[in-house]
Amino acid sequence: MPGDSDANGAVALAAPLSDERVEQILRVLGRAVARACPAELRAMREDLVQSALLRVLERERPGEANAARPASYLWRVAFSVVVDELRRLRRRKPVRDAEQAMDETSAAPRPDLGLAIRACLSGLSEPRRLAVTLHLQGFGSDEASRVLGWDRKRVRNLVFRGMADLRRCLAAKGLP
Amino acid sequence: MSELERLREAFTARGAFAGENCAPAERIFDAATGALPPQEAREMLAHNLDCADCAAAWCLARELLVESGLLPAEAEPEPLPRRWQPFAIAAGLAAAAAFLLVPLARHDEPPAPVTRAPRSPALRQLSPESLPRSNFLLRWSGAPAGARYTLTVTTRDLTRIHELSGVAQPEARVPEKALAGVRADQVLVWTVEALLPDGQRLVSPAFLVRLE
């Protein structure tokens, strides 16, 4: 039913589940999982799509009047399936230590830098630390403002000052 | 890679440091949308200082929200605090004045070549907006040499009609057979994912192309 799918592929799950609807959900989940899936899970992509579909179906009771889902619903399910699988893998394969990781290819991020960033952030005031944490996770000022519940100007100032603190701290540790 | 990208990559490198008592994945997604009470989101963020896996999950949640159109893409330089802004404006005006005056003073010399700072690669559509069925050649640019591409072509309702992996060149032809069920004038959506030699992945925006 094309009318149920918006431009981003989000699907409202209000009607009883038909084969066509399941197919439609699968398409959106396929796109979301493909986008979320890191290289290490690529071989499992189809399995993850099926897991995501099962989660959706478990929460949908055919014949019941299910409330329309928000647009983010299928993307949220796909995200959680991928993250859960990554966590499962991590539990099976213990975290490598920093030295071992440093021996790997030079293209890999430096774990000593990751540790140093964390050490430096822990010395910042809490507001700066939170704002910079989001900044390092790719969040812009508007997005961080929504997450933290602070106004945008405050977030911008915190990021600016926090990043300056971070750079100073890293330089003091001999890290460029 | 810029300094900020390097810091981001090091901070969100999965597997480097894993914490305990991680929040459920769905809560992380909710927090990234701004749907959680700020105090709860702040507590979750504090955990990321000990857990690179959760930091990476936040990063991924944001990427998915932007990809799905649920968050508008927000690209901005690192901000200047308000009290620095007048200096930045003055510096900008000075630069603009220099830009205008230099050609007047040195009008007899050829213009110097412009050197732009390196930018992160982005995948761009090179092929035209409409293509014939007999030569449906999709072309793109942006990834450095040595990249391998996966091309996915779908209809606008995301039904996949063609996928090709391990493509070495930044172009691929969709066979007529794959287009058999597509009518003339129908618009198709195509995306490219590049696996770079250093292991990074680049994902293109969705491009549109009309079948002639």
Side-chain angles (χ1 to χ4, degrees):
Chain A
M1 228 181 301
D4 287 341
S5 174
D6 69 14
N8 302 313
V11 179
L13 303 175
L17 292 168
S18 62
D19 288 348
E20 188 184 8
R21 179 171 293 275
V22 171
E23 193 61 34
Q24 187 185 20
I25 293 169
L26 263 176
R27 281 199 296 270
V28 178
L29 289 175
R31 180 182 164 209
V33 167
R35 184 65 186 81
C37 215
E40 66 195 277
L41 295 185
R42 183 161 297 168
M44 302 176 62
R45 195 185 278 184
E46 286 307 313
D47 293 341
L48 293 171
V49 172
Q50 291 300 323
S51 299
L53 178 65
L54 279 178
R55 280 198 199 181
V56 172
L57 296 181
E58 279 167 7
R59 295 173 199 185
E60 294 293 314
R61 301 283 181 226
E64 290 181 13
N66 295 304
R69 299 291 189 183
S72 61
Y73 177 65
L74 295 179
W75 286 82
R76 183 176 182 259
V77 171
F79 169 80
S80 60
V81 164
V82 169
V83 170
D84 288 350
E85 186 57 32
L86 286 169
R87 286 175 173 173
R88 223 183 333 270
L89 282 180
R90 185 75 55 230
R91 281 196 294 274
R92 269 189 246 146
K93 193 171 97 178
V95 175
R96 61 194 176 183
D97 63 41
E99 282 184 13
Q100 182 189 348
M102 283 171 71
D103 287 341
E104 294 176 4
T105 66
S106 58
R110 294 169 53 184
D112 56 335
L113 181 56
L115 278 174
I117 291 171
R118 286 175 159 77
C120 289
L121 288 182
S122 65
L124 301 188
S125 67
E126 188 188 25
R128 287 188 191 183
R129 184 167 64 238
L130 293 172
V132 171
T133 298
L134 278 172
H135 189 60
L136 293 178
Q137 289 167 183
F139 286 65
S141 300
D142 285 337
E143 298 156 4
S145 166
R146 276 194 293 273
V147 172
L148 295 170
W150 297 330
D151 73 55
R152 184 170 177 267
K153 283 179 188 165
R154 182 181 182 201
V155 170
R156 285 169 66 92
N157 281 333
L158 289 169
V159 168
F160 182 81
R161 295 177 201 288
M163 286 300 291
D165 291 344
L166 175 60
R167 289 189 182 102
R168 264 194 301 274
C169 176
L170 290 174
K173 290 176 184 292
L175 291 163
Chain B
M1 182 184 288
S2 73
E3 181 221 21
L4 179 59
E5 286 168 337
R6 200 168 45 84
L7 295 177
R8 280 180 170 162
E9 189 180 75
F11 186 69
T12 60
R14 264 185 305 104
F17 325 95
E20 293 176 350
N21 304 319
C22 300
E26 294 187 352
R27 298 300 281 172
I28 293 177
F29 194 86
D30 292 342
T33 64
L36 290 191
Q39 187 53 42
E40 186 177 345
R42 289 175 211 159
E43 285 165 12
M44 289 168 67
L45 277 172
H47 165 85
N48 294 2
L49 226 52
D50 299 319
C51 184
D53 284 359
C54 283
W58 274 75
C59 209
L60 177 61
R62 183 195 171 269
E63 284 174 16
L64 289 189
L65 287 165
V66 171
E67 172 77 15
S68 64
L70 298 166
L71 271 186
E74 186 186 344
E76 57 180 330
E78 203 169 301
L80 285 175
R82 176 184 289 274
R83 72 176 182 195
W84 286 41
Q85 286 173 3
F87 298 106
I89 292 168
L93 289 173
F99 179 77
L100 290 172
L101 292 174
V102 164
L104 293 177
R106 306 180 65 183
H107 56 85
D108 54 334
E109 293 180 12
V114 176
T115 305
R116 298 187 191 283
R119 300 178 59 187
S120 315
L123 299 169
R124 294 185 185 82
Q125 177 175 7
L126 289 183
S127 49
E129 292 174 354
S130 65
L131 288 168
R133 194 181 294 269
S134 58
N135 187 22
F136 205 86
L137 179 65
L138 299 172
R139 295 172 56 239
W140 57 91
S141 73
R148 289 286 180 277
Y149 303 96
T150 299
L151 168 73
T152 306
V153 183
T154 71
T155 58
R156 294 195 83 153
D157 67 356
L158 303 181
T159 302
R160 189 167 53 190
I161 61 170
H162 188 59
E163 187 171 70
L164 203 55
S165 300
V167 181
Q169 299 299 321
E171 64 177 41
R173 182 173 281 104
V174 180
E176 278 194 70
K177 191 179 168 188
L179 299 168
V182 183
R183 57 177 165 68
D185 274 342
Q186 191 172 336
V187 173
L188 299 174
V189 181
W190 61 285
T191 57
V192 175
E193 182 178 322
L195 180 62
L196 308 189
D198 64 2
Q200 282 192 79
R201 281 194 311 153
L202 280 180
V203 180
S204 76
F207 303 127
L208 299 180
V209 58
R210 187 175 60 82
L211 181 65
E212 290 174 358

